[in-house]
PDB file of all heavy atoms in Angstrom:
ATOM      1  N   VAL A1104       2.552   4.828   0.748  1.00  0.00           N
ATOM      2  CA  VAL A1104       2.723   5.603   2.022  1.00  0.00           C
ATOM      3  C   VAL A1104       1.732   6.794   1.861  1.00  0.00           C
ATOM      4  O   VAL A1104       1.718   7.440   0.875  1.00  0.00           O
ATOM      5  CB  VAL A1104       4.105   5.987   2.246  1.00  0.00           C
ATOM      6  CG1 VAL A1104       4.249   6.998   3.444  1.00  0.00           C
ATOM      7  CG2 VAL A1104       4.990   4.841   2.374  1.00  0.00           C
ATOM      8  N   LEU A1116       2.733  11.858   8.638  1.00  0.00           N
ATOM      9  CA  LEU A1116       2.427  10.523   9.087  1.00  0.00           C
ATOM     10  C   LEU A1116       3.594   9.933   9.983  1.00  0.00           C
ATOM     11  O   LEU A1116       4.785  10.169   9.635  1.00  0.00           O
ATOM     12  CB  LEU A1116       2.214   9.615   7.904  1.00  0.00           C
ATOM     13  CG  LEU A1116       0.970   9.884   7.158  1.00  0.00           C
ATOM     14  CD1 LEU A1116       0.759   8.854   6.109  1.00  0.00           C
ATOM     15  CD2 LEU A1116      -0.287   9.938   7.969  1.00  0.00           C
ATOM     16  N   CYS A1142      -4.636   9.024  11.486  1.00  0.00           N
ATOM     17  CA  CYS A1142      -4.975   9.093  10.051  1.00  0.00           C
ATOM     18  C   CYS A1142      -5.286   7.692   9.550  1.00  0.00           C
ATOM     19  O   CYS A1142      -4.455   6.867   9.419  1.00  0.00           O
ATOM     20  CB  CYS A1142      -3.890   9.733   9.288  1.00  0.00           C
ATOM     21  SG  CYS A1142      -4.218   9.965   7.585  1.00  0.00           S
ATOM     22  N   LEU A1194      -7.223  11.249  18.030  1.00  0.00           N
ATOM     23  CA  LEU A1194      -6.313  10.216  18.532  1.00  0.00           C
ATOM     24  C   LEU A1194      -6.833   9.591  19.831  1.00  0.00           C
ATOM     25  O   LEU A1194      -6.977  10.327  20.705  1.00  0.00           O
ATOM     26  CB  LEU A1194      -4.879  10.681  18.555  1.00  0.00           C
ATOM     27  CG  LEU A1194      -3.856   9.660  19.043  1.00  0.00           C
ATOM     28  CD1 LEU A1194      -3.717   8.498  17.977  1.00  0.00           C
ATOM     29  CD2 LEU A1194      -2.571  10.380  19.259  1.00  0.00           C
ATOM     30  N   LEU A1200     -11.780  -1.453  24.038  1.00  0.00           N
ATOM     31  CA  LEU A1200     -12.482  -2.199  25.117  1.00  0.00           C
ATOM     32  C   LEU A1200     -12.238  -3.688  25.018  1.00  0.00           C
ATOM     33  O   LEU A1200     -12.134  -4.394  26.062  1.00  0.00           O
ATOM     34  CB  LEU A1200     -14.003  -1.953  24.979  1.00  0.00           C
ATOM     35  CG  LEU A1200     -14.936  -2.641  25.979  1.00  0.00           C
ATOM     36  CD1 LEU A1200     -14.537  -2.206  27.385  1.00  0.00           C
ATOM     37  CD2 LEU A1200     -16.400  -2.470  25.700  1.00  0.00           C
ATOM     38  N   MET A1285     -32.097 -12.396   9.357  1.00  0.00           N
ATOM     39  CA  MET A1285     -33.325 -12.866   8.786  1.00  0.00           C
ATOM     40  C   MET A1285     -33.544 -12.111   7.434  1.00  0.00           C
ATOM     41  O   MET A1285     -34.444 -12.505   6.621  1.00  0.00           O
ATOM     42  CB  MET A1285     -34.511 -12.614   9.722  1.00  0.00           C
ATOM     43  CG  MET A1285     -34.446 -13.475  10.886  1.00  0.00           C
ATOM     44  SD  MET A1285     -35.904 -13.019  12.020  1.00  0.00           S
ATOM     45  CE  MET A1285     -35.464 -14.035  13.538  1.00  0.00           C
ATOM     46  N   GLU A1292     -32.889  -0.720  16.806  1.00  0.00           N
ATOM     47  CA  GLU A1292     -32.861  -1.745  17.826  1.00  0.00           C
ATOM     48  C   GLU A1292     -31.763  -2.683  17.729  1.00  0.00           C
ATOM     49  O   GLU A1292     -31.264  -3.371  18.670  1.00  0.00           O
ATOM     50  CB  GLU A1292     -34.222  -2.555  17.722  1.00  0.00           C
ATOM     51  CG  GLU A1292     -35.383  -1.712  18.034  1.00  0.00           C
ATOM     52  CD  GLU A1292     -35.967  -1.067  16.893  1.00  0.00           C
ATOM     53  OE1 GLU A1292     -35.416  -1.196  15.694  1.00  0.00           O
ATOM     54  OE2 GLU A1292     -37.046  -0.360  16.932  1.00  0.00           O
ATOM     55  N   VAL A1300     -24.944  -7.438  24.002  1.00  0.00           N
ATOM     56  CA  VAL A1300     -23.942  -8.480  23.837  1.00  0.00           C
ATOM     57  C   VAL A1300     -22.570  -7.932  24.391  1.00  0.00           C
ATOM     58  O   VAL A1300     -21.882  -8.626  25.137  1.00  0.00           O
ATOM     59  CB  VAL A1300     -23.779  -8.979  22.437  1.00  0.00           C
ATOM     60  CG1 VAL A1300     -22.741 -10.054  22.351  1.00  0.00           C
ATOM     61  CG2 VAL A1300     -25.164  -9.554  21.991  1.00  0.00           C
ATOM     62  N   GLU A1315     -18.618 -22.958  16.872  1.00  0.00           N
ATOM     63  CA  GLU A1315     -17.248 -23.178  16.325  1.00  0.00           C
ATOM     64  C   GLU A1315     -16.988 -22.532  14.951  1.00  0.00           C
ATOM     65  O   GLU A1315     -15.918 -22.465  14.488  1.00  0.00           O
ATOM     66  CB  GLU A1315     -17.014 -24.699  16.201  1.00  0.00           C
ATOM     67  CG  GLU A1315     -16.934 -25.422  17.587  1.00  0.00           C
ATOM     68  CD  GLU A1315     -15.720 -24.876  18.424  1.00  0.00           C
ATOM     69  OE1 GLU A1315     -14.705 -24.506  17.873  1.00  0.00           O
ATOM     70  OE2 GLU A1315     -15.889 -24.720  19.672  1.00  0.00           O
ATOM     71  N   PRO A1332     -25.135 -19.132  32.517  1.00  0.00           N
ATOM     72  CA  PRO A1332     -24.542 -20.383  33.134  1.00  0.00           C
ATOM     73  C   PRO A1332     -24.274 -20.090  34.597  1.00  0.00           C
ATOM     74  O   PRO A1332     -23.499 -19.069  34.894  1.00  0.00           O
ATOM     75  CB  PRO A1332     -23.397 -20.752  32.216  1.00  0.00           C
ATOM     76  CG  PRO A1332     -23.636 -20.047  30.968  1.00  0.00           C
ATOM     77  CD  PRO A1332     -24.433 -18.812  31.245  1.00  0.00           C
ATOM     78  N   CYS A1352     -33.131  -9.051  23.519  1.00  0.00           N
ATOM     79  CA  CYS A1352     -34.520  -9.653  23.501  1.00  0.00           C
ATOM     80  C   CYS A1352     -34.803  -9.906  22.004  1.00  0.00           C
ATOM     81  O   CYS A1352     -34.874  -8.894  21.230  1.00  0.00           O
ATOM     82  CB  CYS A1352     -35.476  -8.636  24.010  1.00  0.00           C
ATOM     83  SG  CYS A1352     -37.142  -9.089  23.990  1.00  0.00           S
ATOM     84  N   GLU A1362     -32.185   4.926  25.094  1.00  0.00           N
ATOM     85  CA  GLU A1362     -32.642   5.974  26.070  1.00  0.00           C
ATOM     86  C   GLU A1362     -33.287   5.286  27.175  1.00  0.00           C
ATOM     87  O   GLU A1362     -32.984   5.642  28.339  1.00  0.00           O
ATOM     88  CB  GLU A1362     -33.703   6.883  25.353  1.00  0.00           C
ATOM     89  CG  GLU A1362     -33.193   7.908  24.294  1.00  0.00           C
ATOM     90  CD  GLU A1362     -32.418   9.029  24.940  1.00  0.00           C
ATOM     91  OE1 GLU A1362     -32.239   9.137  26.200  1.00  0.00           O
ATOM     92  OE2 GLU A1362     -32.055  10.033  24.210  1.00  0.00           O
ATOM     93  N   GLN A1363     -34.021   4.304  26.919  1.00  0.00           N
ATOM     94  CA  GLN A1363     -34.654   3.494  27.993  1.00  0.00           C
ATOM     95  C   GLN A1363     -33.628   2.796  28.886  1.00  0.00           C
ATOM     96  O   GLN A1363     -33.681   2.682  30.076  1.00  0.00           O
ATOM     97  CB  GLN A1363     -35.720   2.489  27.565  1.00  0.00           C
ATOM     98  CG  GLN A1363     -36.994   3.189  27.025  1.00  0.00           C
ATOM     99  CD  GLN A1363     -37.900   2.261  26.242  1.00  0.00           C
ATOM    100  OE1 GLN A1363     -37.406   1.283  25.601  1.00  0.00           O
ATOM    101  NE2 GLN A1363     -39.161   2.458  26.323  1.00  0.00           N
TER     102      GLN A1363
END
Side-chain angles (χ1 to χ4, degrees):
V1104 175
L1116 294 185
C1142 183
L1194 182 64
L1200 178 60
M1285 293 175 186
E1292 298 86 1
V1300 176
E1315 291 299 323
C1352 178
E1362 290 279 9
Q1363 289 170 328

